[in-house]
Amino acid sequence: MKIFGPLYERAMKWAAHERAPTYLTVLSFIEAIIFPVMPEVMLAPMCVAQPKRGWWFATLSLAGSMAGALVGYALGHFAFEALKPVFAALGMLPSIEGGIAVVQAKMAESPWAVFTFLVLGGFMPIPMKVFTWASGIVGVPLPQYFLSMLIGRGKRVFVLAAVIRIGGPRAEAALRRWIEPLGWIATVLVVALVAWLVWRSKFA
């Protein structure tokens, strides 16, 4: 059953629209809170179509992600308990609770240990929303949180813009070809992380 491929094709149609920069910003914003598709799948074809504007598109995506990261943090901090049934229905609750356990462990070390973890988390194929909600629920200090999100998401979108600028259409074609397996790999990694955290909490 294909899930990520059709979502990618939908994002590709948005990328071809005359209001694509607006859609990219909105997609980046929503993805940081709840949407399952990374904004890179829309950013990539936009950079292919207009490589000279790739840096601007990456900046728009980063701005949307940062705004969404703040909203996700606030919702996690103030509304998580009320929204638990919604996340359970969407199948997101185990991932978020797994993220909470990890962030809590890092918070017990120091705020800067959390910062390092969140920056490294930006290199992992784990949805950004897991980190935004978990950070708000745990209460990660805002300076460390904001800076880690800026670095973690910023390097992803700007590296992608650079790769597309250098690799051109071949880079986007590779992303299209691998989006389905990459999506499932990310899903398996999240499930494995949650399972490991549950096991550790029971037997540690």
Side-chain angles (χ1 to χ4, degrees), residues 3-4 7 27 30-39 41 90 92 126-129 179 183 186-187:
I3 296 177
F4 301 97
L7 290 172
L27 173 62
I30 297 175
E31 186 269 341
I33 303 170
I34 198 169
F35 197 62
V37 178
M38 298 181 296
V41 302
L90 293 172
M92 294 173 55
I126 297 175
M128 185 178 180
K129 65 193 72 62
I179 188 64
T187 302

Side-chain angles (χ1 to χ4, degrees), residues 69-172:
L70 292 176
V71 172
Y73 181 97
L75 288 173
H77 193 72
F78 296 108
F80 178 61
E81 290 300 324
L83 292 173
K84 262 188 176 181
V86 176
F87 285 118
L90 293 172
M92 294 173 55
L93 188 58
S95 299
I96 292 175
E97 290 182 332
I100 293 169
V102 176
V103 174
Q104 282 177 331
K106 295 300 178 181
M107 274 289 287
E109 297 178 28
S110 74
W112 288 108
V114 177
F115 167 80
T116 302
F117 168 73
L118 291 175
V119 169
L120 293 176
F123 290 87
M124 304 174 191
I126 297 175
M128 185 178 180
K129 65 193 72 62
V130 172
F131 296 113
T132 61
W133 280 83
S135 297
I137 293 164
V138 174
V140 174
L142 275 174
Q144 285 90 340
Y145 171 74
F146 188 84
L147 185 60
S148 66
M149 292 292 104
L150 186 66
I151 295 172
R153 180 46 60 99
K155 60 85 190 161
R156 284 174 57 165
V157 294
F158 284 105
V159 166
L160 177 61
V163 168
I164 295 295
R165 184 70 183 267
I166 296 170
R170 289 178 298 175
E172 191 276 328

